[in-house]
């Protein structure tokens, strides 16, 4: 059986490839054991989506399971407005639009397309400051689309024994830094 890549892993892998290994190592362990305060607050901000009570409109899908056999992806979307053909990825607070955020919404986009939904618009939404950011569709930003495909390949081929380039600033913020042999 082929293993699917969790959509939520895309941003994590960009942050640090070894974080996926540690996510899986912890498995079903309570996230309180390793989660940072920022991650905890992010999950709280996501509660309305997860509980599917963000909207009562029938054309607004929230927190539904999606998959793409073409890319080997699975996960959940945040919000899809079928009438507007708008897919929205919500974040607690967006200060910088990281590639990982775009890769997550691309993954959701490809999953929805493969499942027969029409998506014409992508948006990142920052809950804390109520700001929205339009994101170009993959066919409108070939550079990001190529980076997205490379990321999928990199995740599929990742070996925990491989040496990675580390960023000391990221490592200091990483919830797994005490477990990681990359940290100096």
């Amino acid at each position: 059986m082929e293993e699917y890549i969790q959509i939520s892993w895309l941003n994590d892998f960009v942050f640090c490839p070894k974080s996926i290994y540690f996510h899986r190592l912890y498995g079903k362990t309570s996230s309180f054991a390793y989660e940072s305060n920022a991650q905890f607050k992010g999950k709280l901000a996501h509660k309305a989506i997860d509980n599917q009570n963000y909207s009562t409109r029938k054309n607004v899908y929230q927190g539904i399971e999606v998959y793409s056999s073409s890319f080997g992806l699975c996960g959940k979307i945040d919000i899809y407005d079928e009438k507007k053909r708008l897919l929205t990825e919500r974040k607690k607070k967006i200060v910088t639009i990281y590639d990982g955020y775009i890769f997550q919404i691309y993954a959701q986009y490809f999953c929805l397309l493969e499942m027969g939904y029409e998506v014409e618009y992508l948006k990142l939404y920052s809950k804390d400051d109520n700001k929205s950011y339009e994101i170009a569709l993959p066919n409108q930003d070939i550079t990001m689309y190529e980076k997205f495909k490379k990321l999928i390949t990199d995740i599929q081929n990742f070996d925990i024994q491989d040496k990675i380039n580390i960023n000391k600033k990221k490592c200091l913020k990483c919830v797994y830094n005490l477990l990681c042999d990359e940290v100096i």
Side-chain angles (χ1 to χ4, degrees):
M1 182 171 129
E2 188 173 323
E3 193 169 323
Y4 279 73
I5 297 168
Q6 294 288 321
I7 292 171
S8 61
W9 291 356
L10 300 179
N11 189 43
D12 295 340
F13 192 87
V14 171
F15 179 79
C16 175
K18 290 196 173 186
S19 69
I20 305 304
Y21 169 79
F22 291 118
H23 283 325
R24 296 177 85 188
L25 184 66
Y26 273 103
K28 302 246 185 257
T29 303
S30 170
S31 61
F32 288 114
Y34 61 88
E35 206 168 61
S36 73
N37 193 39
Q39 288 171 310
F40 179 74
K41 287 179 180 178
K43 282 187 179 177
L44 281 179
H46 224 264
K47 207 168 200 161
I49 303 288
D50 295 337
N51 294 336
Q52 297 185 345
N53 58 12
Y54 168 78
S55 174
T56 57
R57 293 184 301 167
K58 293 189 185 299
N59 65 304
V60 175
Y61 301 96
Q62 37 196 331
I64 62 170
E65 299 274 344
V66 293
Y67 71 94
S68 166
S69 57
S70 300
F71 285 102
L73 296 164
C74 68
K76 290 184 177 184
I77 64 159
D78 282 356
I79 302 165
Y80 171 65
D81 187 323
E82 189 173 38
K83 192 174 189 178
K84 295 179 182 177
R85 295 186 189 103
L86 169 65
L87 174 62
T88 303
E89 168 70 12
R90 290 170 47 106
K91 300 289 183 190
K92 182 173 178 358
K93 178 151 177 110
I94 298 174
V95 177
T96 303
I97 298 176
Y98 294 107
D99 287 358
Y101 295 175
I102 296 171
F103 298 150
Q104 283 181 301
I105 200 164
Y106 276 11
Q108 295 171 27
Y109 166 80
F110 285 117
C111 289
L112 284 174
L113 287 183
E114 200 168 312
M115 293 172 65
Y117 293 93
E118 293 180 37
V119 182
E120 293 180 14
Y121 307 99
L122 304 176
K123 178 174 75 173
L124 295 175
Y125 175 75
S126 178
K127 184 178 181 289
D128 280 359
D129 52 9
N130 193 31
K131 290 185 179 177
S132 294
Y133 304 90
E134 289 184 32
I135 302 299
L137 294 171
N139 66 350
Q140 297 167 338
D141 189 340
I142 301 304
T143 302
M144 283 305 290
Y145 178 47
E146 291 300 322
K147 287 169 75 172
F148 170 78
K149 291 190 299 187
K150 182 182 180 319
L151 175 66
I152 300 300
T153 302
D154 289 349
I155 293 172
Q156 291 168 335
N157 296 321
F158 181 70
D159 183 343
I160 191 68
Q161 300 300 322
D162 291 345
K163 191 77 174 153
I164 61 169
N165 293 325
I166 64 165
N167 177 328
K168 289 182 184 181
K169 287 182 182 179
K170 283 184 180 182
C171 290
L172 291 174
K173 292 180 182 181
C174 181
V175 295
Y176 305 116
N177 68 11
L178 296 175
L179 302 172
C180 185
D181 59 355
E182 298 288 340
V183 180
I184 298 171

